[in-house]
């Protein structure tokens, strides 16, 4: 899966429309194999983003869990720790 797509379910506050749209854009870019479509493919590219956004929005709002909501700051710290372990500590430029 594309590493830029973040988990959006079960956070407090819930995922925003902008976060869902950004994940949709990343997903379509990954499927298409390019970041920006040509003029000939722009309509299909944008339609795919909208369809993925709508499906993602429906999914996130229909999922249920008994787990407590996750904290964004805590999850970000965990991700930084995993990255440091995987790639080594970040050296300031």
């Amino acid at each position: 899966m594309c590493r830029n797509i973040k988990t959006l379910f079960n956070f407090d506050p819930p995922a925003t429309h902008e976060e869902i749209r950004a994940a949709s854009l990343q997903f379509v870019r990954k499927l298409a194999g390019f970041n920006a479509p040509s003029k000939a493919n722009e309509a299909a590219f944008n339609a795919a983003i909208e369809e993925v956004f709508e499906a993602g929005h429906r999914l996130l709002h229909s999922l249920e869990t008994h787990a407590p909501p996750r904290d964004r700051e805590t999850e970000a710290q965990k991700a930084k720790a995993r990255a440091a372990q995987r790639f080594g500590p970040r050296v300031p430029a």
Side-chain angles (χ1 to χ4, degrees), residues 19-38:
E19 290 173 313
I20 300 169
R21 189 165 303 282
S24 302
L25 173 61
Q26 288 297 326
F27 183 73
V28 171
R29 283 177 173 171
K30 186 68 168 186
L31 287 176
F34 49 79
N35 286 334
S38 65

Side-chain angles (χ1 to χ4, degrees), residues 6-80:
K6 306 291 186 232
T7 300
L8 299 177
F9 177 62
N10 196 27
F11 279 99
D12 189 26
T16 65
H17 287 226
E18 291 77 22
E19 290 173 313
I20 300 169
R21 189 165 303 282
S24 302
L25 173 61
Q26 288 297 326
F27 183 73
V28 171
R29 283 177 173 171
K30 186 68 168 186
L31 287 176
F34 49 79
N35 286 334
S38 65
K39 289 289 183 190
N41 294 323
E42 189 171 18
F45 191 84
N46 291 337
I49 293 169
E50 190 59 31
E51 289 174 20
V52 171
F53 168 79
E54 290 172 7
H57 189 270
R58 279 192 312 273
L59 173 66
L60 290 174
H61 287 85
S62 64
L63 292 174
E64 296 178 16
T65 184
H66 296 291
R70 293 180 284 181
D71 178 63
R72 292 175 189 276
E73 187 60 37
T74 302
E75 295 301 318
Q77 290 172 354
K78 288 179 187 177
K80 285 180 185 178

